[in-house]
Amino acid sequence: MQFEFRPYQRRFRQSLKTHYGEWSVREGILIRLDDRFGEITPLEWFGSESMQDAIELCQSAPHDIDLDWIQQIPFPACQFGFESALNSEQFQAMPQSALMSDEWRSLWDQGYRTFKLKIAIAPIEIEIATVQALLDQLPQHANLRLDANMGLTESETHQWLEFCDQSRIEFIEQPMRTDQFETMLKLSQMYRTAIALDESVSTLAQLKACYERGWRGIFVVKPAIAGFPSQLRQFCREHQLDTVFSTVFETEIGRRAGLQLAAELSQRAVGYGTTHWFDELNSEDFEELWKSL
Ligand SMILES: O=C(O)CCC(=O)c1ccccc1C(=O)O
Ligand SMILES: [Mg+2]
């Protein structure tokens, strides 16, 4: 197969604020194998390879690539990009969760019924009050998820879970650091509100390790950084994992491949409602995306 690649940069309409700080430009790589497309979107702070690693891998690739070469790729975001290019089929629509910016109403009008809010950015009392105010406004049948990106202490996590148990929150995502696994496991058994692991399970190897250590709560799966889709599919099926599939801000190319896996493997609304965060590279036509770079 003839291989080509094109790096891209995509600016957020407004920077995304998380516990890690602000994110203003997404960098990735579109790849092409004959007439099939794939996408590489590293997320180094989640433990994937860096953008530099991915570029170097693409630069060192032969012009004519075969399956053996693809199977030897050592990096998870590259594994996803190449293998999903081989297998790009059609995808099925799934209910989507919108990553909230300021306004939920326009997202509601676009059809979203599940929303996700980043927390652990401001002091906890302020954030709990904000979430309460939001719940007071949202229609009863809306779902709300909270994502702390590892930013809470154990006592703050208790505080949030107590609040969530009194309200209607679907889950809290990655409340604490990955080295606090045992504490999160204990907390997941103490409250009605579920905990979803995200940073703890960003690659398939980590996901397997958390399963083996006893995690039976929700697993956030970011297929674009999880490694070979074929291996991910096999593990999720074998163990009937309760999963939420989630974007790392791919273009439509990586996103379709992720949604296709989600439709096969997950029951929950997918965390791919993020197109409102970008003005550029929003086309749904792969050829057009490719040509624009
Ligand atoms: O999962 C979603 O609903 C939206 C995507 C999201 O929050 C995200 C996007 C890029 C990197 C990290 C994260 C995250 O879940 O922490
Ligand atoms: Mg998360």
Side-chain angles (χ1 to χ4, degrees), residues 180-218:
Q180 302 296 301
F181 178 83
E182 294 301 331
T183 308
M184 290 189 283
L185 185 60
K186 180 187 77 186
L187 290 171
S188 73
Q189 291 152 358
M190 286 176 64
Y191 293 89
R192 216 157 37 85
T193 305
I195 295 179
L197 294 184
D198 182 9
E199 282 88 336
S200 292
V201 298
S202 57
T203 63
L204 181 57
Q206 289 172 295
L207 189 149
K208 287 181 174 169
C210 287
Y211 181 81
E212 267 141 37
R213 291 174 75 183
W215 189 262
R216 296 296 180 271
I218 301 169

Side-chain angles (χ1 to χ4, degrees), residues 80-278:
F80 169 83
F82 281 87
E83 198 185 80
S84 61
L86 291 179
N87 300 318
S88 43
E89 297 150 36
Q90 70 284 60
F91 80 113
Q92 286 161 259
M94 293 267 299
Q96 308 242 353
S97 162
L99 185 61
M100 292 184 67
S101 35
D102 316 316
E103 241 290 291
W104 64 268
R105 266 174 233 275
S106 68
L107 297 167
W108 180 272
D109 293 339
Q110 289 165 49
Y112 290 109
R113 294 298 175 261
T114 300
F115 301 89
K116 185 166 104 171
L117 188 67
K118 295 287 187 185
I119 59 167
I121 302 162
I124 187 165
E125 290 74 20
I126 295 177
E127 290 192 337
I128 287 182
T130 306
V131 171
Q132 183 59 64
L134 178 62
L135 286 170
D136 292 342
Q137 290 179 30
L138 281 175
Q140 274 299 323
H141 54 292
N143 286 317
L144 185 61
R145 311 169 162 177
L146 304 174
D147 187 356
N149 285 114
M150 315 202 284
L152 303 178
T153 63
E154 182 172 354
S155 79
E156 287 170 336
T157 306
H158 274 287
Q159 223 177 312
W160 270 113
L161 286 165
E162 265 156 37
F163 167 81
C164 293
D165 272 7
Q166 318 290 320
S167 2
R168 45 194 180 93
I169 299 291
E170 185 184 1
F171 57 77
I172 297 192
E173 191 168 317
Q174 196 75 37
M176 304 173 69
R177 292 197 318 267
T178 53
D179 62 359
Q180 302 296 301
F181 178 83
E182 294 301 331
T183 308
M184 290 189 283
L185 185 60
K186 180 187 77 186
L187 290 171
S188 73
Q189 291 152 358
M190 286 176 64
Y191 293 89
R192 216 157 37 85
T193 305
I195 295 179
L197 294 184
D198 182 9
E199 282 88 336
S200 292
V201 298
S202 57
T203 63
L204 181 57
Q206 289 172 295
L207 189 149
K208 287 181 174 169
C210 287
Y211 181 81
E212 267 141 37
R213 291 174 75 183
W215 189 262
R216 296 296 180 271
I218 301 169
F219 296 83
V220 175
V221 176
K222 295 186 172 310
I225 55 167
F228 290 117
S230 53
Q231 295 177 17
L232 177 66
R233 181 186 287 114
Q234 189 185 347
F235 191 78
C236 290
R237 282 216 179 116
E238 193 168 41
H239 300 284
Q240 297 285 307
L241 300 186
D242 183 357
T243 54
V244 174
F245 277 64
S246 160
T247 181
V248 293
F249 305 123
E250 310 84 295
T251 71
E252 194 64 18
I253 294 176
R255 179 190 160 80
R256 289 272 177 96
L259 286 172
Q260 184 187 315
L261 275 167
E264 288 175 44
L265 301 171
S266 180
Q267 310 298 322
R268 294 181 185 263
V270 289
Y272 279 83
T274 54
T275 44
H276 57 288
W277 283 89
F278 298 94

Side-chain angles (χ1 to χ4, degrees), residues 4-6 8 28-31 38-39 251 253 289-290 293:
E4 290 176 86
F5 70 100
R6 295 189 180 169
Y8 71 80
I29 307 169
L30 300 186
I31 66 168
E39 182 168 356
T251 71
I253 294 176
L289 281 168
W290 180 258
L293 296 177

